Amino acid sequence: MLAPPAQAGDFGCPGSLIESIPVVTNDSGFRYGTLLVYYSSANGGTNCAVTYRSPGFSGKSNMEAAVGRCRDSSTVPLCSTDKSDVDNGTYGTYAGPVSVTQTAGHCIVASGWIEEPRTGTDGYADLTRSHCG
C-alpha cells in the first residue's frame, strides 16, 4: 500500500509530522490506514491529528481522529485531558484535522479509528501519553 502524504499542508495541519501509527485490526493486524500526528510551535505548541485511510478501499468509511492535551505531568501511559478535539464521521479519505493548542510543556494523546463497511470490522491506532515537554 502507498504511504500517506507526509506534508502537513496536505491535511491542513500546521507543523511537522512527528508520529505515523498504523490503524490496524486487533485480531489480524490488517492495516486500514494511518494515524498522523503533527507538531507546530505556534500558539504555545499545537498538535494536530488526522486518520488517513489506505488507498485501495472504495466508498466511504466511518472514521475518527482525536487528539488531546494531558492535564497532569505523570508518566503513566493514560491521562485525563483538559483540552481535546475529535472528528467522527463518514469520509472517503480521512478524518480530521483535529488540533489542540498550548501543548508545550504537556504530554499529548491521540487516536484513530476506521470501520471497513463491507465487513464491519474496525481498525484502531492509539498514541498513549507521549511527546511530553
Side-chain angles (χ1 to χ4, degrees), residues 39-115:
Y39 178 76
S40 166
S41 60
N43 300 309
T46 299
N47 284 93
C48 182
V50 171
T51 300
Y52 177 84
R53 190 168 73 161
S54 297
F57 291 100
S58 60
K60 294 184 176 185
S61 295
N62 294 321
M63 294 187 225
E64 180 176 284
V67 64
R69 181 181 82 168
C70 296
R71 176 184 324 242
D72 57 54
S73 59
S74 170
T75 59
V76 296
L78 300 177
C79 73
S80 60
T81 59
D82 58 2
K83 294 179 87 172
S84 63
D85 192 10
V86 178
D87 180 30
N88 182 307
T90 304
Y91 303 109
T93 308
Y94 63 93
V98 292
S99 62
V100 290
T101 59
Q102 303 297 317
T103 58
H106 294 268
C107 301
I108 63 157
V109 291
S111 62
W113 166 73
I114 300 172
E115 178 186 45

Side-chain angles (χ1 to χ4, degrees), residues 1-21 31-38 48-56 92-95 97:
M1 292 189 184
L2 299 174
Q7 297 298 316
D10 293 337
F11 297 108
C13 284
S16 301
L17 182 66
I18 58 170
E19 287 283 346
S20 178
I21 303 168
R31 186 175 186 156
Y32 286 135
T34 307
L35 170 65
L36 304 171
V37 181
Y38 298 88
C48 182
V50 171
T51 300
Y52 177 84
R53 190 168 73 161
S54 297
T93 308
Y94 63 93

